Structures are given as structure tokens and as C-alpha cells.
């Protein structure tokens, strides 16, 4: 996706229909724009499962609201956590089987003992992920920390006979913003990993929870980066929590 017009979600582009909603979506892709602005109180979400968001401009970038490309939460079994835009999905939970490994370079391993219903490992990115619960839990995802990749998915838990384990969370997405002028952020830019699914029981036996997805990549390149009038800004690429086991 490319465009050469200003892009805003806000009062400074009154003719843009996206400015009428408090929350809106921005499909991943490459946007070449004259300026980029998100008004305070507005949330712009890059949908899961798509490509990374790359904003290129020769003008100022102001983010007073929220720009997010987070990974999705894991569900049960094959309902894996969706990849954040430019990231990788979580692994499936097992049903009388071991869990599946998550996606991506730092993927968390699946739970390796369905007899014990062990948990999936967390995805790695800037640091290693966490090992899944139990001695036979999924391996921790390895750190790789490349801004050219989004986050990695957590592994799925292992499930005993008759039960289905939790799936891993998706890795956070990838956001690049590049300008030769100023980036001012008084709001939030986020590429967090999705949480792994907790196995809630209800059947005989036990199953492991899914591992959390790793945080993704945020790269800001500008002549000057500041936190706005308040001096505060939040840039977050946190890993998702792993799901509990039963």
C-alpha cells in the first residue's frame, strides 16, 4: 500500500472518513506520506495476520493517541494466537499429543509430555522466552532481536487423552516509522505479544497452557524524537504471559 497524501486519524484531516471513529484499523503495508498524525483519544490498530506497517515521510510524525500491532491471544487447540502484523503465530495445543512449536525465529517449543499435560514455551525476541511449566515443558524461544522481523509465537501445551491443551500466543508485529524531521509521541506505540491460553479444565485429566508470544519490533528513525509537551511517551514491545496448566 502506498500513498503520497497526509495521513491522519484526527481533526487535521476532516475529510478522511477514518477520523469519525474513536477506533479504526490501518492495514499493514508501506505508506509514503507527507505527514502522519494520530489524535489523542484515538486508537489505530494494525490487524493481525498481515504484513508489517512501514511509514515513510519527509514531514513530522505526531502520535498523541495509540498505534498498535499486537499479537493475538491463544485459544484452545488449533485456535492459535494470530501473528501481529509482520510477526508469527503461536503453536497449537495438543489433544492426546504434544504441543506444536510456535512460529518465527525465536519460537517457543511445544509441551513435550502429554502424559503430564505440560505447558508450551514462550517466544523469544530481545531476550529468551520462558520455559514451559514442568520438567517436560516446551523449550524457551531463543533471543534474536532483529528489527527486520516481528515477534515469535509461543508453543502450544500438551494434552492428555480426552482433553485439548491451550495454544500459544502470537508474536507482536513490526512497526517502522522513518522521517528526516520530528517524531513526537505523547501516546502509545505498541507491538506486544499475545498471551497463551490457560487450560481451564472441565474434563478428566489435564493439559498444559500455551506459551506467550514475544514482543515485536518498533523502529523509529528521525532527526529528533521527543515525548510531546508532557515529556512522556510509551513505546512497548512486551512478551505475552504464558497460560496456566491443570
Amino acid at each position: 500500500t502506498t500513498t503520497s497524501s497526509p495521513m491522519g486519524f484526527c481533526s487535521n484531516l476532516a475529510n478522511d472518513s477514518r477520523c469519525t471513529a474513536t477506533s479504526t484499523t490501518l492495514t499493514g503495508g508501506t505508506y509514503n506520506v507527507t505527514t502522519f498524525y494520530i489524535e489523542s483519544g484515538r486508537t489505530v490498530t494494525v490487524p493481525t495476520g498481515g504484513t508489517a506497517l512501514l511509514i515513510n515521510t519527509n514531514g513530522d510524525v505526531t502520535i498523541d493517541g495509540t498505534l498498535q500491532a499486537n499479537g493475538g491471544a491463544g485459544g484452545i487447540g488449533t485456535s492459535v494466537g494470530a501473528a501481529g502484523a509482520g510477526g508469527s503465530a503461536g503453536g497449537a495445543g495438543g489433544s492426546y499429543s504434544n504441543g506444536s512449536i510456535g512460529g518465527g525465529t525465536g519460537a517457543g517449543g511445544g509441551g513435550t509430555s502429554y502424559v503430564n499435560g505440560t505447558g508450551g514455551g514462550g517466544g523469544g525476541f530481545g531476550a529468551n522466552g520462558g520455559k514451559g511449566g514442568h520438567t517436560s515443558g516446551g523449550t524457551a524461544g531463543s533471543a534474536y532481536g532483529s528489527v527486520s522481523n516481528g515477534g515469535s509465537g509461543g508453543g502450544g501445551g500438551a494434552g492428555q487423552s480426552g482433553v485439548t491443551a491451550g495454544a500459544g500466543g502470537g508474536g507482536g508485529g513490526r512497526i517502522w516509522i522513518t522521517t528526516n524531521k520530528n517524531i513526537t509521541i505523547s501516546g502509545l506505540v505498541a507491538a506486544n505479544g499475545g498471551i497463551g491460553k490457560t487450560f481451564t479444565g472441565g474434563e478428566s485429566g489435564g493439559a498444559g497452557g500455551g506459551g506467550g508470544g514475544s514482543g515485536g519490533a518498533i523502529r523509529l528513525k528521525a532527526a529528533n524524537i521527543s515525548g510531546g509537551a508532557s515529556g512522556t511517551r510509551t513505546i512497548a514491545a512486551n512478551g505475552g504471559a504464558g497460560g496456566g496448566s491443570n
Side-chain angles (χ1 to χ4, degrees):
T1 302
T2 59
T3 178
S4 59
S5 63
M7 181 178 289
F9 302 89
C10 48
S11 58
N12 74 335
L13 283 180
N15 293 326
D16 189 331
S17 61
R18 291 170 294 191
C19 294
T20 63
T22 301
S23 299
T24 191
T25 59
L26 176 60
T27 302
T30 300
Y31 295 86
N32 300 309
V33 297
T34 55
T35 58
F36 184 76
Y37 174 63
I38 299 176
E39 187 178 54
S40 177
R42 299 188 186 275
T43 297
V44 178
T45 300
V46 187
T48 57
T51 59
L53 178 66
L54 311 178
I55 302 291
N56 302 308
T57 177
N58 291 320
D60 289 331
V61 173
T62 303
I63 300 176
D64 293 331
T66 296
L67 175 63
Q68 58 185 13
N70 299 325
I76 290 292
T78 58
S79 297
V80 301
S88 298
S95 179
Y96 198 39
S97 64
N98 296 337
S100 298
I101 188 172
T105 304
T112 58
S113 176
Y114 63 84
V115 173
N116 294 300
T118 58
F125 187 79
N128 293 335
K131 187 180 184 300
H134 195 274
T135 56
S136 299
T139 55
S142 299
Y144 58 101
S146 168
V147 294
S148 297
N149 299 94
S152 296
Q160 293 186 21
S161 177
V163 296
T164 303
R174 178 163 66 99
I175 298 173
W176 286 16
I177 303 176
T178 304
T179 179
N180 56 12
K181 291 193 176 179
N182 303 307
I183 295 177
T184 304
I185 301 172
S186 61
L188 169 66
V189 179
N192 296 319
I195 62 174
K197 177 65 176 180
T198 294
F199 175 75
T200 56
E203 306 100 335
S204 61
S214 79
I218 299 172
R219 188 187 79 163
L220 306 176
K221 185 177 180 180
N224 180 64
I225 300 174
S226 67
S230 65
T232 61
R233 60 185 177 275
T234 302
I235 300 170
N238 302 315
S245 304
N246 181 31

